[in-house]
Amino acid sequence: MATIPSQSRNIPESIEGGNTAWIDLGFTWGLRILSLSAIALLLWMGWIIFNAALPAIRQFGWGFLMRQEWDVNQLQFGAQTYLYGTIVTSAIALLFAVPIGIMVAIVTSEKFLPGWLRSTLGFLIELIASIPSVIIGLWGIFVLIPLMKPIQSELHQQLSWIPLFGTDTFGPSMLVAGTILAVMILPTIAAISRDVMLAIPQDLRTASLSLGATRWEMITTVLIPASLSGIIGAIMLALGRALGETMAVTMVIGNSDQISLSLLDAGNTIPSILANQFPEALDELHIGTLMYLALMLFALTLVINMIANSIVKTFGLKQ
Amino acid sequence: MNAEQPLTKPLSLDRRIFSHAMSAIAVLFTALALLPLLSVLLEILRQGLPNLKWEVFTNLPAPAGDTSVVSGFANAIQGTVLMVSIATAFSIPFGIAIAIYLAEIGKSGAIAQTVRFVLSILSAVPSIVVGVFAYAVIVLATIFGYRGFSALAGAFALAVIMLPIVVLSTEEALKLVPNHQRLASAALGANSIQTVFKIVLTTALPSITTGVLLAIARASGETAPLIFTALFSQSWVEGLLNPAPSLSVMIYNYSSSAFPEQTQLAWTASLVLLGLVTVTNLLSRLITRKR
């Protein structure tokens, strides 16, 4: 290797003058400060919402979670109805989306179908995730509600002794909201579970099959147990999305301010009440209460996503 | 294998039933998962296509109940494009700068790890909460003597939503640039700014564009953070500090309208919005595939 003659006249001045070091340092620090501003953004968000919620926090304290009344004129507010609706609709969504999502993950990760069909299927399912939720909501109003109305009435007629189906429906309901949420979180569960399954070493599959397991015995006894924690991470991420999803739910849940045990009744969720009432909120306490609800949603999804992220990260996957 | 000397026993009946039943369930569930997608696409085409006339791109929405004029949503397109453009103008330089730090300088250091973690959390914050944040920061504050719903507040919310998407995808793009290119650049006497801007960013440009397009597609469809930041308006965008219409909020407002021509318009707007989002998504896929 030839050494560059140091007396060459063509060497740029920056090397001789040592400017490079300063430029590098400035560049590094500039970018570092910008990066830290991302952390500042999250803290700022939490701080701003907390501060705006303060009047309501002072007024209602923790009892806010257990109070049920919601009266804008009397300025009496409680979160129970919305908390209940948020949790119930998300639970329904998981009930539907988890088995279907895992099945889709299995079909698209194992060699049931030719490769091109598997990738097309995966692509199509992920396409659902890119449809704006307001469009899913529109579809919910005009397709899903009419479709589910007879099913819901049938559920009520056959199973009215179960409190969950205790009332007849007028169309929009928590069950419909849960179903539409299931549609929206399905791609999350399917895509991440598939990535987890693809990351399981092929040797494990081959070993199981060579010991005489059928393909499905291999899947249930080897593949699913091995990828279980990743699948749980995927479910948690999906849950985080379901809790915060706004538009589609708001459009089909019926926005009732009463708690009803029946899934066929209209309900409400935290995101829905925020979307519905913020445009008209004027009183400081009303705004504060809505901010309090937003803060709860923020904290709830933060915790769930942190857990989900740490689980998914152990698999070295991206979201 | 010989027919006379079977090496294997046939599978017992219950194992065979289990296998076949599970396969049937798997196929059934996958079909079930696809059903909503097909139904959404079909319904949008069926309801939206008949009204897709040139006028919808040039006219303002007609007053409710007035069927004598051809209704359109040009103002909503204008508002969406305006707010997404402002959000893009903010989030791209910020996002790319942070991504450069994460991929080129911070790498696996403590700061970079924390920033990465915070961004993944930020990307999972419900968009309505980002809307609440923008409401508190901008709508409730007095800016240039104006207080209230504004296009600026909407754009701010969209920028916050776009930022993590831009950073995380740009970082992935930068990581794909082979290290010997950086070394070669440094060996030729380039400083870190020259290396990053002339070599790394140029090489990664197609993948960065992909991430940016995905972020734009995502922001164009967002509704929740716009409902109470930008609100809506029936007329053209009047300024950054005035309420602004958007396609997504229009779909939401008209979805439960009592006037059938307004719900028709909502379907047509859905067709346009979904077309916009899908074209952007497909474009981003095409760009990366070419490489």
Side-chain angles (χ1 to χ4, degrees):
Chain A
M1 269 205 221
T3 48
I4 301 169
S6 60
Q7 65 271 32
S8 161
R9 286 184 300 157
N10 290 333
I11 289 179
E13 284 191 2
S14 56
I15 287 185
E16 291 178 332
N19 285 337
T20 311
W22 285 106
I23 291 171
D24 281 359
L25 207 62
F27 188 56
T28 304
W29 272 100
L31 290 180
R32 186 168 290 156
I33 289 165
L34 274 181
S35 298
L36 289 172
S37 71
I39 302 176
L41 179 65
L42 188 70
L43 295 177
W44 189 30
M45 193 184 287
W47 176 245
I48 285 277
I49 296 175
F50 174 77
N51 255 331
L54 218 50
I57 296 175
R58 287 218 182 87
Q59 180 87 18
F60 303 117
W62 285 109
F64 184 61
L65 297 177
M66 287 299 128
R67 285 158 63 104
Q68 210 185 315
E69 69 261 64
W70 187 273
D71 190 331
V72 178
N73 296 321
Q74 305 284 322
L75 292 178
Q76 289 302 315
F77 300 106
Q80 206 183 32
T81 319
Y82 312 108
L83 213 52
Y84 176 79
T86 308
I87 291 167
V88 169
T89 48
S90 300
I92 297 173
L94 288 185
L95 194 72
F96 290 149
V98 168
I100 298 181
I102 293 177
M103 279 299 180
V104 170
I106 291 172
V107 168
T108 49
S109 74
E110 305 307 300
K111 296 185 177 70
F112 283 98
L113 303 164
W116 62 270
L117 192 55
R118 265 180 286 149
S119 56
T120 314
L121 271 179
F123 170 69
L124 282 176
I125 304 261
E126 278 170 49
L127 207 62
I128 299 177
S130 71
I131 300 177
S133 77
V134 69
I135 294 181
I136 303 267
L138 190 69
W139 171 81
I141 293 177
F142 290 100
V143 179
L144 194 62
I145 288 180
L147 188 77
M148 282 185 71
K149 203 170 174 213
I151 301 173
Q152 294 191 87
S153 294
E154 193 62 26
L155 274 174
H156 169 62
Q157 268 153 28
Q158 303 297 325
L159 302 167
S160 59
W161 48 276
I162 303 174
L164 291 180
F165 307 112
T167 60
D168 204 356
T169 184
F170 65 92
S173 71
M174 292 205 276
L175 187 62
V176 180
T179 311
I180 220 163
L181 274 178
V183 171
M184 303 195 66
I185 64 173
L186 185 91
T188 309
I189 297 180
I192 299 176
S193 301
R194 182 191 55 204
D195 287 354
V196 172
M197 288 174 186
L198 288 176
I200 302 293
Q202 203 59 42
D203 294 357
L204 279 179
R205 293 182 176 85
T206 327
S208 169
L209 291 174
S210 64
L211 285 174
T214 63
R215 181 186 275 154
W216 276 102
E217 284 162 352
M218 179 275 286
I219 290 171
T220 48
T221 58
V222 176
L223 188 69
I224 291 182
S227 45
L228 194 62
S229 58
I231 294 175
I232 291 174
I235 294 172
M236 298 282 284
L237 276 176
L239 176 63
R241 266 182 213 166
L243 292 172
E245 172 50 43
T246 312
M247 298 322 299
V249 173
T250 308
M251 291 160 86
V252 299
I253 200 169
N255 299 304
S256 135
D257 287 336
Q258 242 95 55
I259 288 191
S260 166
L261 262 187
S262 171
L263 300 180
L264 309 181
D265 260 333
N268 217 332
T269 66
I270 295 179
S272 302
I273 187 90
L274 296 178
N276 275 324
Q277 298 209 340
F278 253 120
E280 284 121 42
L282 292 172
D283 190 88
E284 195 197 6
L285 190 61
H286 188 197
I287 293 177
T289 308
L290 293 174
M291 290 284 178
Y292 197 177
L293 283 175
L295 189 67
M296 279 163 43
L297 186 65
F298 188 38
L300 200 65
T301 49
L302 216 62
V303 170
I304 286 175
N305 280 303
M306 278 176 171
I307 299 171
N309 267 325
S310 60
I311 296 175
V312 172
K313 205 180 229 173
T314 52
F315 276 82
L317 300 164
K318 10 172 216 155
Q319 242 173 274
Chain B
M1 200 201 307
N2 250 320
E4 306 93 73
Q5 286 179 300
L7 287 173
T8 51
K9 273 194 298 181
L11 222 50
S12 68
L13 188 63
D14 54 334
R15 291 175 73 191
R16 231 180 310 167
I17 291 175
F18 177 71
S19 255
H20 283 106
M22 287 304 277
S23 295
I25 292 174
V27 172
L28 192 76
F29 276 17
T30 310
L32 207 62
L34 282 175
L35 215 56
L37 177 74
L38 299 178
S39 173
V40 169
L41 295 181
L42 212 73
E43 198 64 17
I44 287 185
L45 287 176
R46 200 170 68 84
Q47 303 262 23
L49 215 46
N51 276 308
L52 192 68
K53 307 180 188 98
W54 179 245
E55 283 87 350
V56 298
F57 298 106
T58 56
N59 288 13
L60 288 174
D66 185 354
T67 45
S68 59
V69 284
V70 183
S71 199
F73 41 75
N75 61 332
I77 296 175
Q78 185 200 21
T80 295
V81 169
L82 174 77
M83 287 189 284
V84 173
S85 307
I86 298 172
T88 310
F90 271 102
S91 60
I92 286 181
F94 262 98
I96 291 182
I98 295 175
I100 292 172
Y101 179 77
L102 294 182
E104 304 291 313
I105 299 163
K107 291 190 177 106
S108 53
I111 296 179
Q113 291 284 16
T114 319
V115 171
R116 226 171 264 133
F117 176 73
V118 163
L119 282 165
S120 71
I121 294 290
L122 211 54
S123 72
V125 170
S127 62
I128 186 124
V129 172
V130 177
V132 170
F133 172 54
Y135 178 88
V137 170
I138 298 182
V139 178
L140 291 183
T142 308
I143 297 167
F144 298 122
Y146 179 84
R147 185 173 182 274
F149 304 106
S150 64
L152 183 70
F156 176 76
L158 293 184
V160 173
I161 288 169
M162 288 175 77
L163 184 73
I165 309 176
V166 173
V167 178
L168 297 174
S169 59
T170 304
E171 193 201 349
E172 291 304 317
L174 295 182
K175 274 194 205 153
L176 290 178
V177 178
N179 207 36
H180 56 76
Q181 294 196 11
R182 295 184 185 88
L183 296 178
S185 166
L188 288 174
N191 60 37
S192 54
I193 295 182
Q194 289 164 332
T195 305
V196 165
F197 282 93
K198 293 203 172 141
I199 307 297
V200 181
L201 279 188
T202 2
T203 313
L205 197 61
S207 326
I208 295 176
T209 318
T210 302
V212 168
L213 284 176
L214 284 178
I216 291 177
R218 169 84 192 276
S220 320
E222 279 294 347
T223 318
L226 295 182
I227 293 181
F228 47 83
T229 51
L231 208 67
F232 189 69
S233 96
Q234 295 284 343
S235 55
W236 299 103
V237 178
E238 282 156 30
L240 277 186
L241 294 176
N242 290 86
S246 57
L247 274 176
S248 52
V249 176
M250 193 195 98
I251 297 169
Y252 173 62
N253 285 347
Y254 285 1
S255 65
S256 48
S257 164
F259 299 94
E261 67 273 10
Q262 288 197 333
T263 45
Q264 282 301 321
L265 209 59
W267 280 108
T268 312
S270 296
L271 180 65
V272 172
L273 181 59
L274 192 64
L276 202 80
V277 169
T278 312
V279 166
T280 320
N281 271 326
L282 287 180
L283 209 63
S284 73
R285 271 174 191 265
L286 279 179
I287 290 172
T288 20
R289 186 168 291 176
K290 253 192 201 153
R291 293 174 71 228

